[in-house]
Amino acid sequence: MRRFVLALAVLSQCSFAVAQARDEAFELLQRMYNATRKLNYVGTFVYQNGQSSESSRIAHLVDGNSVQERVEVLDGAPREIVRVNNEVKCYLPNSGTVKVERLMADRPLLPVLPTRITGVSDHYTVRKGPIERVAGMDSQVVELEPKDNLRYGHRLWGELGSKMVLRAQALDQAREVVESFTFTEIKIGGQVPRELLRTRFANKAREWRVEESGAVATNIAQHGWILGQTPPGFQKLAEVKRRFGSVNDVSQVVLSDGMAAVSIFIERAAARTSEAVTMGASRQGAINVYTRIVGEHLVTVVGDVPAECVHSIANGMEFRPK
C-alpha cells in the first residue's frame, strides 16, 4: 500500500511538472505574439515557400494606436507593400498598379506568424525548445506540434530579451520545412525614421492604376450556402464579398485555428469561362488549394495547411438556393 501511495505521489508530481512546462511554453508564445505586433523594428528577412525564396526589407512602427509598416521585396520584379493600420497598398511599378486591401485582423506583414493565440493549445502541443542564435542574437525556440493531420507543425524563435520573433517555420508531417522566414539582420526598438515607412514610388511622375478589392461584409448562409463541419479549432474570422481582377462578386470566408488561415472563395463558374481553372488539388510550397464545382459555382479553398484540411472544407460546402 505504501508503495502504491508513493507511486501515485510521484505520478502526480510528474503530471504537475508537465502541465507547468506547457503553461510556461504557452506564456512564452503569448509574449512572442505580442512583441511582434507592439515593438518597433527595422530589418531584412528571407522568406521561403517550398523551393522559392526571396529577401525583403521591413520597417514596423507602433505609435500609440497607430501601426505603420513597409515591406520592400529585394529580389525579382520590384514590389512594395505599405500598411497604415488596416489599409494595405501593394505597389507594382512594372505594371503601374496599386492594389488596395483592407486587413481583416491585426497581423504584421511578416509571414508565418499566428493570427491569434486563443485556443492554440487545444490543437497543438506547445513546448519550449533549445536556445539558438538567429541574426547574431540568442533566441528561445518554441515548438507547436499538431494533435492531428489537418495542420502543420511550427517552430518559432523569440529573441531572449524582447521576445521578438526572429525566425518561424511551418513543418509537414515528415518534419520537412515547407514555409519559413528568417531575419538576417534586425534592429529592435527605438525610433523608426518616417522615410522608411513611405513608398519610394509615390513621388514618381506617373499615373497609377488603383485596384481596390471593394470588400464588403456578407453572409453566405443568406444566399443558400452551408458551411459543413469544419476541422476542429477552425473558427470563422470574416465573411466578405470582393473583386478579384476581372471577376466581380467573389465571396470569401476566412477561417483560422490561430496558427493557420484558410480562405473559401465562391464565384459563379460562368464568370471564369475565359480563364483556365485548375480543378481538384494543387500545391505551392505550404499552400494547398482545392477547387470543385458546386451547382453553377466554383468553390476554391486555399490555405497554409495540409491537403487533407482544404479537401475536407471544400467537400463540406453545400448550396441550397433560397
Side-chain angles (χ1 to χ4, degrees), residues 80-282:
E80 282 190 3
I81 305 171
V82 177
R83 172 193 173 196
V84 178
N85 297 323
N86 69 334
E87 183 182 73
V88 176
K89 294 181 178 180
C90 180
Y91 290 84
L92 305 171
N94 283 3
S95 63
T97 304
V98 180
K99 296 181 179 291
V100 182
E101 180 65 85
R102 300 267 176 188
L103 290 179
M104 299 176 189
D106 176 22
R107 185 177 188 179
L109 297 178
L110 287 171
V112 203
L113 287 178
T115 56
R116 55 186 173 83
I117 294 296
T118 305
V120 163
S121 58
D122 293 336
H123 304 285
Y124 299 85
T125 299
V126 184
R127 62 172 66 93
K128 288 176 66 175
I131 294 176
E132 299 178 353
R133 279 173 60 79
V134 180
M137 303 178 184
D138 288 336
S139 303
Q140 175 67 61
V141 177
V142 173
E143 301 177 343
L144 291 89
E145 181 181 344
K147 296 180 180 180
D148 56 36
N149 65 346
L150 299 176
R151 56 206 98 216
Y152 292 131
H154 295 269
R155 300 187 83 206
L156 304 173
W157 284 254
E159 194 270 322
L160 283 184
S162 66
K163 302 302 182 287
M164 170 72 195
V165 177
L166 301 183
R167 175 183 292 168
Q169 295 177 339
L171 304 98
D172 63 16
Q173 288 181 302
R175 301 289 293 175
E176 296 291 331
V177 177
V178 292
E179 187 181 25
S180 69
F181 88 85
T182 303
F183 274 103
T184 55
E185 58 89 18
I186 185 172
K187 177 181 179 295
I188 303 171
Q191 293 298 313
V192 175
R194 296 284 176 173
E195 58 267 22
L196 296 183
L197 299 162
R198 292 191 289 266
T199 174
R200 63 187 178 92
F201 301 121
N203 295 327
K204 301 292 184 181
R206 65 183 303 172
E207 289 289 330
W208 290 92
R209 184 175 71 255
V210 179
E211 294 183 359
E212 297 204 35
S213 67
V216 295
T218 190
N219 185 331
I220 63 169
Q222 293 179 354
H223 299 283
W225 287 97
I226 298 173
L227 179 61
Q229 185 175 1
T230 56
F234 282 87
Q235 298 180 7
K236 190 186 301 180
L237 295 185
E239 288 183 78
V240 297
K241 185 174 288 187
R242 61 169 71 242
R243 192 178 97 186
F244 280 100
S246 60
V247 182
N248 291 311
D249 293 339
V250 179
S251 295
Q252 179 184 8
V253 180
V254 181
L255 309 173
S256 177
D257 70 346
M259 291 300 301
V262 177
S263 284
I264 306 166
F265 297 100
I266 304 169
E267 60 188 287
R268 287 201 168 272
R272 296 285 293 273
T273 54
S274 61
E275 302 177 37
V277 178
T278 301
M279 302 302 296
S282 60

